[in-house]
Amino acid sequence: AQTVTQSQPEMSVQEAETVTLSCTYDTSESDYYLFWYKQPPSRQMILVIRQEAYKQQNATENRFSVNFQKAAKSFSLKISDSQLGDAAMYFCAYRSAWGNQFYFGTGTSLTVIP
Amino acid sequence: GAVVSQHPSWVICKSGTSVKIECRSLDFQATTMFWYRQFPKQSLMLMATSNEGSKATYEQGVEKDKFLINHASLTLSTLTVTSAHPEDSSFYICSARVEQGNQPQHFGDGTRLSIL
């Protein structure tokens, strides 16, 4: 099974500042998808951003962007201009291009300081 | 689009009773749905993969007789926690995916189960 590692259990950022959440994964596959999900206190899982492994260009969604380093098997999430509503647990996830199952990291709890 | 509805959102029941949780894909068909369990401040733990029209695939360590899964149609999967005990108290989340390309999993809002 693939392994997804988030080495930062907790992170904090000042409002309006930028923060980067780390994610690494282990796979022998060449074709796969990567995702970042946000889980606020309501516990609803919300898709933040996705990246296809075959694309070299890093995905961006408004204030959210990723730094995808395929050779290093790294997939970090950058949140710019952090807002109070960004406070949540963030989970990195991997899915093979050939399967349905998602593999989740252990999560990073992000606190936004006003 | 791609909305997953989960019901109920919160249930409290006595030890020994059985509880059924429903997961519906509202605007798409899903031959595969997933059931997760989440403990406080922890990640999602995959319990089983629900397959429409066939038996569910359970992860190692998950008791199939305790957690019954039925996926009778392309839009509905149910998880029944049988003879529930306090240690079964947890947050259960289902998900489904539009089975095409890079589509993400879409999650239900989860069910908070409390067994007294």
Side-chain angles (χ1 to χ4, degrees), chain A residues 33 35 37 39 41-47 50 52 54-55 89 91 95 97 99-102 104-107, chain B residues 32 34 36 38-44 46 49 59 91 93 97 99 101-109 112:
Chain A
Y33 306 106
F35 305 84
Y37 281 88
Q39 188 180 41
S42 66
R43 304 191 80 169
Q44 182 184 15
M45 292 287 284
I46 302 167
L47 176 67
R50 77 185 84 172
E52 293 90 344
Y54 62 84
K55 288 187 177 179
M89 281 289 287
F91 293 99
R95 183 177 74 81
N100 278 317
Q101 187 170 339
F102 275 50
F104 288 91
T106 50
Chain B
T32 306
F34 301 90
Y36 296 87
Q38 187 181 31
F39 292 103
K41 298 186 184 294
Q42 294 189 22
S43 188
L44 282 70
L46 180 65
T49 302
E59 295 299 302
F91 190 68
I93 312 176
R97 187 176 73 90
E99 292 161 13
N102 69 344
Q103 294 300 314
Q105 285 199 15
H106 298 278
F107 290 85
D109 287 344
R112 190 183 306 274

Side-chain angles (χ1 to χ4, degrees), chain B residues 20-102:
Chain B
K20 180 184 285 188
I21 303 170
E22 292 188 348
C23 181
R24 294 181 185 273
S25 55
L26 296 186
D27 50 1
F28 66 101
Q29 294 183 332
T31 56
T32 306
M33 293 185 176
F34 301 90
W35 288 96
Y36 296 87
R37 183 173 181 175
Q38 187 181 31
F39 292 103
K41 298 186 184 294
Q42 294 189 22
S43 188
L44 282 70
M45 181 190 77
L46 180 65
M47 298 175 64
T49 302
S50 174
N51 305 299
E52 187 269 334
S54 65
K55 292 182 179 180
T57 304
Y58 290 83
E59 295 299 302
Q60 192 172 8
V62 177
E63 299 176 61
K64 58 182 67 175
D65 294 331
K66 163 67 101 174
F67 300 99
L68 299 179
I69 292 173
N70 184 276
H71 194 152
S73 77
L74 287 171
T75 59
L76 173 65
S77 175
T78 61
L79 168 68
T80 301
V81 183
T82 62
S83 186
H85 291 284
E87 57 265 29
D88 298 324
S89 298
S90 191
F91 190 68
Y92 294 87
I93 312 176
C94 72
S95 72
R97 187 176 73 90
V98 176
E99 292 161 13
Q100 181 181 355
N102 69 344

Side-chain angles (χ1 to χ4, degrees), chain A residues 1-60:
Chain A
Q2 278 69 17
T3 304
V4 179
T5 301
Q6 293 179 249
S7 59
Q8 305 154 316
E10 297 179 346
M11 291 282 284
S12 61
V13 61
Q14 205 77 32
E15 192 176 5
E17 297 295 312
T18 296
V19 65
T20 299
L21 308 184
S22 301
C23 173
T24 58
Y25 56 94
D26 185 23
T27 185
S28 58
E29 299 175 333
S30 60
D31 200 8
Y32 49 87
Y33 306 106
L34 298 164
F35 305 84
W36 278 97
Y37 281 88
K38 168 186 176 181
Q39 188 180 41
S42 66
R43 304 191 80 169
Q44 182 184 15
M45 292 287 284
I46 302 167
L47 176 67
V48 175
I49 200 166
R50 77 185 84 172
Q51 174 82 42
E52 293 90 344
Y54 62 84
K55 288 187 177 179
Q56 291 187 335
Q57 187 173 9
N58 289 325
T60 62

